Amino acid sequence: MTSFVFLKTLLRPASTFGLLCCVALASVLALPAKANEEPNDRGYRWFEIEVLVFRYLQDGGDDDEQFPLTVQPIPTEGSRDILTPRLRADVRGFIYALPQCEGTRGYVPVVRQLLLKPADLRTELNNYSAENISCRRLPHLPLVDAWYLGQNEIHDRLPARAPLLFAGHAEGSREEMLRAEIPFLISQEDFEYHALRRQLERRADTQPILHTSWRQPVFTRNVGRKMRLFGGRNFTDEFDYFGFPISPTPKQQALSFREEARSVRGIDEDAFSRMQVALAAIDRGQFAFTPWTAERSQQPSRPARTPRGLPSEVWELDGLLHVYLVGNFLHIDLDFNLRDVIQLEPEARHYDEQVDDFLNADAHQLEFLRAYPFKQLRRVISHQTHYFDHPKYGMVITIRRTDLSARR
């Protein structure tokens, strides 16, 4: 009888107030589960982008004449770079959190310069080894770089050549996109151009430079940020951004030494013999002096003012890729430079240089890092392979829709 009364009580229609309380409680309990299911859903339209860049190895011939010799700069300030962190991890926070190494005198850098001798700094460096990596050295001093290198070399140096493949560890799932704050590289297993890259590697006339794929939200042209891509050889230690050698080549050093010797002696010992050969060639019609003009010179020019926002590294391939939406249509905007070392033969300004050029054709050759610009804008369709051609290199790009690509 008691059980019957209990069941009857449970089956009795609940009051309106009780029902409202139950519904409210169920809604509150369901909120955390919904938040975990859709974290940070900001309504972004995420796409997956895969890029394969390769260069042609055959000589372009007359195609070089259509490109300006002066480097056209591409400022990268404000762009998004997801490749550099794969090469240079910023571990300064971890270093600064380590305890100071034993035997390291923690003076202010200015005081260290006054009080510490190079032998003291050399001792500090010798005490730092792989077994002692759990402690922190002090920043290096410019005056004693030869003996004491600080831990900045861990994150300041980039490799002499960028890897061909740039990949991450993410699978590009819906949950990863919802949690991501910035674009991210996806796993190499999700790349679709592996077979095409291997074909280009087997060919004798092509060389792949960069193969990468990432996921990013795509916005309108004025809202989204451009992606900086680079690859190939790192010329930072050899040339500046505008292609001029940082340090003179051995040939240029020899020429400079000879010019200095001339200024000391007044005239070198074989000047008369050289002049006799030149005069004989003039009589035979094989050589003639010509006035120098800036228009005829092959010497490239530097800009009067260096533009802001130029990258600090000089890569074989460097530039910007911008994917944006106009309405519901995808667009790809490319702005890249491909670098190549060439030999320039600028026109001799002085008569003695013209004689040198006649007697030694390689006397005034200049090594220069030329840039071949590539700019192109195209409206594209997702899940199609788009090829961007250039006399020096080619780009294969595809944009694939994701679970969050629909207009939201």
Side-chain angles (χ1 to χ4, degrees):
M1 184 65 180
T2 305
S3 301
F4 176 77
V5 174
F6 177 72
L7 290 174
K8 186 177 180 181
T9 304
L10 290 178
L11 296 175
R12 184 174 56 190
S15 63
T16 304
F17 178 76
L19 288 176
L20 291 176
C21 291
C22 293
V23 171
L25 180 61
S27 301
V28 172
L29 294 176
L31 284 177
K34 182 64 176 178
N36 292 332
E37 180 183 349
E38 297 286 344
N40 299 329
D41 187 358
R42 298 173 293 270
Y44 294 167
R45 301 181 64 181
W46 285 79
F47 290 84
E48 181 176 300
I49 303 172
E50 185 169 359
V51 177
L52 175 60
V53 185
F54 62 93
R55 68 176 304 158
Y56 296 110
L57 299 180
Q58 73 273 17
D59 187 9
D62 297 335
D63 293 334
D64 294 350
E65 298 180 359
Q66 62 179 304
F67 302 106
L69 191 59
T70 301
V71 175
Q72 306 298 313
I74 302 177
T76 57
E77 185 178 21
S79 63
R80 191 177 296 281
D81 183 0
I82 59 175
L83 302 186
T84 299
R86 307 298 297 178
L87 302 179
R88 181 171 59 191
D90 190 354
V91 296
R92 285 173 291 185
F94 298 97
I95 293 175
Y96 297 152
L98 294 174
Q100 185 173 300
C101 296
E102 294 183 4
T104 302
R105 304 184 184 182
Y107 302 141
V108 178
V110 178
V111 180
R112 286 172 60 85
Q113 294 185 28
L114 297 175
L115 299 182
L116 296 185
K117 300 178 181 179
D120 299 327
L121 300 173
R122 198 181 307 118
T123 301
E124 291 184 2
L125 178 61
N126 294 334
N127 291 335
Y128 187 82
S129 61
E131 294 79 11
N132 201 18
I133 199 171
S134 59
C135 64
R136 174 174 56 90
R137 289 180 291 168
L138 296 177
H140 74 283
L141 300 176
L143 298 180
V144 288
D145 271 341
W147 299 293
Y148 187 77
L149 294 176
Q151 284 163 320
N152 286 337
E153 71 268 15
I154 297 178
H155 57 82
D156 281 346
R157 301 291 297 177
L158 288 177
R161 189 173 188 86
L164 174 59
L165 291 174
F166 278 92
H169 303 290
E171 298 178 355
S173 63
R174 178 185 180 91
E175 290 74 17
E176 288 172 327
M177 288 185 289
L178 289 173
R179 290 187 175 91
E181 298 293 337
I182 60 174
F184 58 91
L185 294 168
I186 63 174
S187 172
Q188 180 179 337
E189 299 176 354
D190 296 324
F191 289 14
E192 296 186 0
Y193 289 156
H194 288 301
L196 176 59
R197 188 190 72 249
R198 296 189 187 99
Q199 292 179 8
L200 294 172
E201 289 175 331
R202 289 193 293 266
R203 292 174 60 96
D205 57 346
T206 57
Q207 178 188 13
I209 299 178
L210 173 65
H211 187 192
T212 185
S213 183
W214 68 92
R215 288 198 169 189
Q216 70 168 81
V218 178
F219 307 97
T220 59
R221 183 171 189 174
N222 297 327
V223 175
R225 294 175 63 180
K226 300 179 181 180
M227 300 291 295
R228 183 197 175 195
L229 301 179
F230 59 84
R233 183 176 166 186
N234 186 357
F235 293 101
T236 307
D237 294 335
E238 305 173 55
F239 300 90
D240 63 15
Y241 186 87
F242 294 97
F244 293 92
I246 293 179
S247 59
T249 62
K251 182 185 299 183
Q252 292 171 336
Q253 290 178 347
L255 290 174
S256 177
F257 177 78
R258 188 172 66 180
E259 293 297 331
E260 292 179 1
R262 284 185 184 181
S263 63
V264 173
R265 296 192 305 264
I267 186 170
D268 58 1
E269 59 275 5
D270 63 342
F272 291 106
S273 59
R274 292 170 56 253
M275 187 59 65
Q276 289 178 354
V277 174
L279 292 176
I282 292 175
D283 293 338
R284 294 193 299 268
Q286 298 175 348
F287 172 68
F289 291 105
T290 56
W292 181 88
T293 57
E295 292 76 13
R296 296 175 54 186
S297 176
Q298 296 185 27
Q299 179 76 21
S301 59
R302 294 178 182 268
R305 299 179 61 183
T306 302
R308 292 183 55 187
L310 295 182
S312 57
E313 303 86 17
V314 182
W315 292 99
E316 181 178 354
L317 172 75
D318 199 348
L320 300 173
L321 169 66
H322 193 193
V323 177
Y324 60 90
L325 286 163
V326 177
N328 208 31
F329 297 99
L330 289 166
H331 289 71
I332 296 178
D333 189 1
L334 302 177
D335 190 4
F336 283 87
N337 275 326
L338 180 72
R339 302 299 191 109
D340 197 9
V341 179
I342 62 173
Q343 296 290 335
L344 294 180
E345 296 184 1
E347 184 181 0
R349 294 171 176 251
H350 306 290
Y351 294 125
D352 58 342
E353 292 180 350
Q354 296 185 35
V355 174
D356 287 341
D357 287 346
F358 174 72
L359 299 177
N360 184 6
D362 298 332
H364 291 91
Q365 280 192 347
L366 172 66
E367 204 171 41
F368 182 72
L369 186 64
R370 187 169 188 175
Y372 298 96
F374 180 40
K375 296 184 179 182
Q376 191 165 344
L377 173 63
R378 185 185 302 179
R379 193 178 82 173
V380 298
I381 299 176
S382 60
H383 289 275
Q384 288 187 358
T385 300
H386 303 281
Y387 175 61
F388 298 84
D389 193 21
H390 186 276
K392 294 294 181 180
Y393 57 109
M395 293 189 183
V396 182
I397 304 175
T398 185
I399 304 176
R400 294 183 283 268
R401 292 187 296 271
T402 68
D403 295 339
L404 299 180
S405 296
R407 205 164 195 167
R408 313 178 68 211

